[in-house]
Amino acid sequence: MAWDRNQMAARAALELEDGMYVNLGIGIPTLVANYVGDKDITLQSENGMLGMGPFPFEGEEDPDLINAGKQTITELPRTAYFDSATSFAMIRGGKIAAAILGGMEVSEEGDLANWMVPGKLVKGMGGAMDLVAGVGRVIVVMDHTSKHGDSKVLKACTLPLTGKGVVDRIITNLGVLDVVPGGLKIVECADGVTEAELRAATEATIVG
Amino acid sequence: MQKIYGSAAEALEGLLFDGMTIAAGGFGLCGIPELLIAAIRDAGTKNLTVASNNAGVDGFGLGQLLETRQVRKMISSYVGENAEFMRQYLSGELELEFNPQGTLAERMRAGGAGIPGFYTKTGVGTVIAEGKEHKDFNGQTYILETGLVMDLAIVKAWKADETGNLVFRKTSRNFNPPAATCGKVCVVEVEEIVPAGSLDPDHIHLPGIYVHRLIQGQHEKRIEQRTTRKRQEA
């Protein structure tokens, strides 16, 4: 037993509080929007929008209105548009309370790798490096291990970094860990996962 | 002060030369200067260095200039949508400089604002920081990035008045204003040119001082990822 994608997204949504301005990455982080419930959250899309709405109804797609994943979306009564320099000014300037991002690897010092696999995947970092450097709190949502069973929660990342010492909290299919001095601290285990199982799947140092 | 031209080709007359640098607005295929890109393709200008957040898709947007091998170097943050790009890059035919998205936007803004360099936290401790000056401010480390000044900026806006004051629409604004400001010459394509005085001066997104040449045209405005929800889910 462990959390599935939707359960991880639902757990990540618990990190969000009323009044927050939040940036959600592509993949599982996008699903977090489905679980915010009645909380008053304003979603930022780094291509130049605050107050991102749901997908449009069929036939109402607008080519001038997309999110950072290039998907057609809608606006809300609170929506504001701005240019890319202004968008990253608010990101770099610490105005965005939190970013929930996907990850390939996270280290016990809070390093994040999520943009490049040398020789295989060379798509680019997009806005990820700016987000992890600038937002108030960085929460990474990812599978705890690779398809081959190797831990992705490591003593040191093997892939090129997106940011160094930037991650605050990791939410995986096996549980929740915080980056603290000296290593990672277990916050909770996923449903049906024991602490021993979580520790066994983690290469990084676990403290406390 | 006549800024309005009859076509993209006419608006680019005398501005294009081999080896030039170009800043292009747009994010994905949203808000790209599609008419000016097509005119540069037709002009056959070669060895271009293009600063643009993305590189279009195969056969549309900047992808067209890649197919014709007119681009020598791209400065971009994300190029994942373009198979021809990846092929040329991996085979060494095309040079690529990855910039974090916010760093690229700020390099354009800074270049256009007369700021030759700026310090940013973005990329510290990553490959992006290699070879760049590091400096501490208030106990935090930053790296030095340079402003971009390009030979030409190509930009798409929604409406312009006859003097080049621009209004953008929704998220198609994106990189267009910073790109516009960093060009030594800026050529803009819009969906509609309206008489001076018909845009509210308080609602101008980019003042006409940045706009040197202007065309009006029909835009395809292709959608890259068409995502919808069903009405009964509402």
Side-chain angles (χ1 to χ4, degrees):
Chain A
M1 276 288 286
W3 285 328
D4 63 22
R5 287 164 58 87
N6 284 302
Q7 288 169 314
M8 288 159 71
R11 177 59 190 83
L14 298 179
E15 304 292 322
L16 305 181
E17 294 165 20
D18 247 6
M20 273 188 171
Y21 290 89
V22 177
N23 184 292
L24 302 178
I26 294 165
I28 300 174
T30 305
L31 300 175
V32 173
N34 300 334
Y35 298 96
V36 296
D38 294 335
K39 281 186 276 197
D40 183 27
I41 304 294
T42 304
L43 296 178
Q44 200 245 19
S45 191
E46 65 264 28
N47 54 318
M49 180 182 197
L50 275 167
M52 184 166 42
F55 292 151
F57 293 123
E58 283 175 49
E60 294 181 1
E61 307 92 315
D62 183 339
D64 289 336
L65 183 44
I66 63 168
N67 63 19
K70 283 97 179 177
Q71 298 170 313
T72 47
I73 50 165
T74 55
E75 63 187 22
L76 301 171
R78 69 177 60 183
T79 295
Y81 299 111
F82 34 85
D83 67 72
S84 298
T86 305
S87 179
F88 283 91
M90 66 182 72
I91 288 170
R92 211 185 295 103
K95 315 301 178 189
I96 305 290
I100 301 178
L101 303 172
M104 295 174 184
E105 295 176 346
V106 177
S107 84
E108 64 190 41
E109 293 184 333
D111 300 348
L112 170 65
N114 74 351
W115 76 281
M116 184 188 190
V117 180
K120 283 189 184 165
L121 179 75
V122 198
K123 293 184 171 184
M125 72 290 286
M129 285 191 181
D130 308 276
L131 281 162
V132 299
V135 303
R137 189 167 159 75
V138 174
I139 298 148
V140 172
V141 182
M142 65 177 195
D143 284 330
H144 207 96
T145 56
S146 72
K147 282 177 217 153
H148 312 294
D150 299 322
S151 184
K152 295 164 70 169
V153 183
L154 304 170
K155 292 187 187 304
C157 293
T158 63
L159 296 169
L161 297 184
T162 307
K164 196 164 177 56
V166 294
V167 178
D168 295 290
R169 176 164 281 192
I170 313 164
I171 298 172
T172 75
N173 53 323
L174 300 184
V176 180
L177 300 104
D178 274 349
V179 178
V180 297
L184 303 178
K185 184 168 178 290
I186 295 173
V187 177
E188 65 188 81
C189 297
D191 302 332
V193 175
T194 66
E195 190 176 317
E197 286 166 338
L198 181 57
R199 282 173 179 271
T202 306
E203 191 217 79
T205 308
I206 291 177
V207 298
Chain B
M1 189 176 60
Q2 178 50 263
K3 294 184 178 180
I4 301 170
Y5 287 72
S7 69
E10 286 171 40
L12 292 169
E13 184 73 40
L15 300 180
L16 302 177
F17 58 92
D18 290 348
M20 73 187 300
T21 58
I22 298 176
F27 183 96
L29 299 180
C30 181
I32 59 170
E34 54 182 88
L35 305 175
L36 292 161
I37 291 168
I40 292 171
R41 177 201 58 203
D42 295 344
T45 319
K46 293 206 165 24
N47 286 321
L48 302 174
T49 295
V50 181
S52 168
N53 187 56
N54 310 96
V57 297
D58 293 313
F60 195 65
L62 289 171
Q64 295 176 91
L65 301 185
L66 294 166
E67 271 171 27
T68 51
R69 313 286 172 89
Q70 286 169 264
V71 181
R72 182 184 68 79
K73 178 181 176 180
M74 288 294 307
I75 304 172
S76 302
S77 87
Y78 190 85
V79 295
E81 294 92 355
N82 193 315
E84 174 63 15
F85 184 103
M86 294 312 291
R87 195 198 63 69
Q88 288 185 25
Y89 172 63
L90 292 171
S91 71
E93 295 165 59
L94 181 69
E95 193 181 335
L96 170 61
E97 178 185 324
F98 272 132
N99 281 190
Q101 195 172 129
T103 295
L104 179 57
E106 188 64 13
R107 291 186 72 193
M108 291 180 180
R109 197 201 68 79
I115 296 173
F118 59 93
Y119 291 96
T120 176
K121 282 187 287 191
T122 301
V124 170
T126 76
V127 293
I128 294 303
E130 287 173 10
K132 289 176 183 160
E133 184 196 324
H134 288 58
K135 188 164 177 163
D136 286 4
F137 295 87
N138 302 319
Q140 282 228 45
T141 303
Y142 297 76
I143 55 173
L144 178 65
E145 297 280 4
T146 55
L148 282 175
V149 177
M150 308 297 269
D151 295 318
L152 172 69
I154 53 173
V155 161
K156 156 76 171 53
W158 180 40
K159 284 185 182 179
D161 70 16
E162 296 155 328
T163 71
N165 289 319
L166 300 184
V167 176
F168 298 90
R169 187 171 175 274
K170 302 185 188 286
T171 57
S172 69
R173 193 182 320 183
N174 57 55
F175 272 83
N176 282 297
T181 65
C182 82
K184 292 175 192 163
V185 182
C186 174
V187 182
V188 179
E189 58 182 69
V190 297
E191 296 173 43
E192 186 183 5
I193 298 174
V194 298
S198 48
L199 298 176
D200 183 338
D202 271 331
H203 293 175
I204 303 295
H205 295 138
L206 192 74
I209 190 170
Y210 295 107
V211 177
H212 303 101
R213 300 185 182 187
L214 192 58
I215 57 160
Q216 176 180 313
Q218 290 292 319
H219 292 82
E220 178 184 337
K221 298 211 282 187
R222 197 181 288 187
I223 291 177
E224 202 163 337
Q225 304 276 348
R226 189 178 296 273
T227 44
T228 59
R229 65 193 148 127
K230 296 236 187 295
R231 287 199 181 265
Q232 50 267 38
E233 287 174 20

